[in-house]
Amino acid sequence: MANSPNLLIVRTPFQAWFCLQLIDHLGIINYDLLYITHNNSEEDRSYFSRLSSSATISEYVYLPPARFDLFTHIKLRLRVRSWFCDCDYKNIYVASINSLVINALICRFSFSNLYTFDDGAANLVKGGSYYIDPSTKRMTVYRILFKGLAVEKVRKRIARHFSLYKGFCNIVEESRITYLDGWRSEYQRAPDITSPRERTKRYFIGAPFEEVMSGQEIERMIDLMLAVGIDGYIKHPREKKELPIGGIILDKGGRIAEEVILEDSVGCAVELYGFLSSVMMNLQGVSEKRVVFLPGHHKLTGVGELARESGCQEVYLT
């Protein structure tokens, strides 16, 4: 590898979108691309195609999750072993510093300049996985096994972090952050921004709710959304089945939710409903109302704190 001075490491469609912004903002011309996904969604393939078209070397690694996390990590390490070869990059651009294999790859290129960027709302949850490793023996063993470093040590190495979230604490101090324009700037450039809004469009942002909510909590959320009535349903790549809450399931066409919502809502005011996700954060300057549904135990956690700090209306389901 290392035919280029820059290496871009991507795990999600949002991260890929962010890399496109970095390429434009920094004028990155020569780069290699490693795209890792556990979903192989239409969005993954679409954004890989866009990024890889200008890459010197690119690889798309799809690895379905194994029953046990450790097996997934071991298989991934084997799949990307060629990227650990005896070569060097001047600059590495990455978001997922908490990922075992990506963390190990960062440590392999210990003399490279490390540049990070947002992985969405996860960067803003204080005390979360982007701030500190879990204090468990298992994580300590994993880091040793994969030859990585604790997240807090990797954070100290970051030369600069690129973010959309001005006004929020992030994984490095303010002096090491460069802010980029997000979707608010696109919204402001729209030709009808000063025109009165004809109507309000309400969107439900899908998610793998069974991973964060109980069945009872999901049913409660369904009842609340049926009472609201929605215009559009944005399905998440890991969402097994959309919820029966009505509304048109929007065709994303290989794009991330933010781009689809902006296109579909031209001339209308926007309201968003769902779990506290990156979409909720990314469109805070576009939507007039954002309602997040959270399990009761999140009220005193970093997730609940972020919901309040970002101006979302919280609805606790228990």
Side-chain angles (χ1 to χ4, degrees):
M1 302 296 177
N3 282 356
S4 303
N6 305 293
L7 172 61
L8 276 55
I9 306 174
V10 174
R11 283 191 69 194
T12 68
F14 173 69
Q15 291 183 16
W17 175 89
F18 210 123
C19 281
L20 289 170
Q21 312 314 304
L22 286 177
I23 289 170
D24 182 62
H25 179 78
L26 299 174
I28 300 173
I29 299 174
N30 299 316
Y31 63 88
D32 292 345
L33 169 67
L34 174 60
Y35 195 119
I36 299 169
T37 176
H38 298 299
N39 301 311
N40 193 30
S41 66
E42 183 183 3
E43 296 95 300
D44 284 314
R45 296 188 297 272
S46 174
Y47 281 98
F48 172 74
S49 177
R50 291 170 64 178
L51 275 174
S52 63
S53 64
S54 299
T56 303
I57 296 173
S58 62
E59 183 176 5
Y60 183 85
V61 179
Y62 167 49
L63 187 68
R67 182 177 179 183
F68 299 103
D69 283 348
L70 179 59
F71 293 159
T72 301
H73 299 311
I74 291 173
K75 288 179 181 179
L76 178 58
R77 176 62 179 83
L78 293 173
R79 285 282 302 274
V80 302
R81 59 186 178 275
S82 62
W83 292 88
F84 285 80
C85 64
D86 187 19
C87 59
D88 289 298
Y89 289 96
K90 181 179 179 181
N91 306 307
I92 295 179
Y93 297 87
V94 63
S96 300
I97 61 173
N98 61 330
S99 164
L100 288 175
V101 175
I102 292 176
N103 180 299
L105 187 57
I106 292 170
C107 294
R108 160 65 187 82
F109 299 116
S110 58
F111 295 103
S112 302
N113 298 315
L114 179 60
Y115 298 100
T116 55
F117 53 92
D118 291 332
D119 186 28
N123 280 78
L124 309 180
V125 179
K126 300 169 187 174
S129 61
Y130 279 87
Y131 287 79
I132 188 170
D133 273 354
S135 56
T136 62
K137 290 183 178 179
R138 183 174 69 172
M139 179 55 72
T140 302
V141 171
Y142 281 6
R143 291 298 186 204
I144 295 172
L145 176 64
F146 288 91
K147 299 181 179 179
L149 287 174
V151 165
E152 50 269 36
K153 292 183 178 180
V154 174
R155 286 170 52 208
K156 292 179 181 179
R157 187 185 148 194
I158 296 170
R160 184 145 295 273
H161 181 81
F162 296 91
S163 178
L164 302 180
Y165 308 126
K166 195 166 187 177
F168 292 89
C169 292
N170 214 306
I171 61 174
V172 298
E173 63 274 15
E174 185 78 11
S175 62
R176 285 193 284 163
I177 300 179
T178 295
Y179 293 103
L180 304 184
D181 290 333
W183 286 273
R184 176 63 181 175
S185 61
E186 295 182 25
Y187 178 73
Q188 289 173 328
R189 288 195 297 267
D192 67 338
I193 184 66
T194 59
S195 303
R197 299 301 181 186
E198 297 178 359
R199 53 168 295 202
T200 296
K201 279 198 169 185
R202 299 177 177 87
Y203 298 94
F204 183 77
I205 313 301
F209 294 108
E210 67 279 357
E211 296 178 11
V212 294
M213 296 180 184
S214 68
Q216 184 177 4
E217 289 166 340
I218 293 174
E219 288 299 323
R220 171 66 174 154
M221 180 172 62
I222 290 173
D223 290 341
L224 292 171
M225 287 311 306
L226 285 172
V228 170
I230 62 169
D231 298 283
Y233 191 124
I234 313 293
K235 193 172 180 181
H236 189 279
R238 295 206 320 273
E239 196 172 3
K240 295 177 181 178
K241 185 179 180 181
E242 60 271 13
L243 302 182
I245 58 175
I248 299 172
I249 299 176
L250 298 181
D251 180 8
K252 295 166 73 176
R255 297 169 296 169
I256 55 178
E258 293 88 341
E259 294 182 326
V260 176
I261 291 171
L262 274 183
E263 179 183 85
D264 186 74
S265 64
V266 172
C268 300
V270 173
E271 292 182 3
L272 303 177
Y273 298 80
F275 190 70
L276 183 62
S277 64
S278 298
V279 179
M280 290 286 186
M281 298 301 301
N282 295 340
L283 296 184
Q284 62 176 319
V286 173
S287 54
E288 294 188 349
K289 182 179 182 180
R290 291 170 297 142
V291 178
V292 296
F293 299 102
L294 299 170
H297 69 272
H298 277 309
K299 193 168 188 177
L300 300 177
T301 67
V303 175
E305 182 181 347
L306 178 58
R308 290 186 290 276
E309 185 181 351
S310 64
C312 291
Q313 178 181 328
E314 307 154 81
V315 176
Y316 289 97
L317 300 170
T318 52

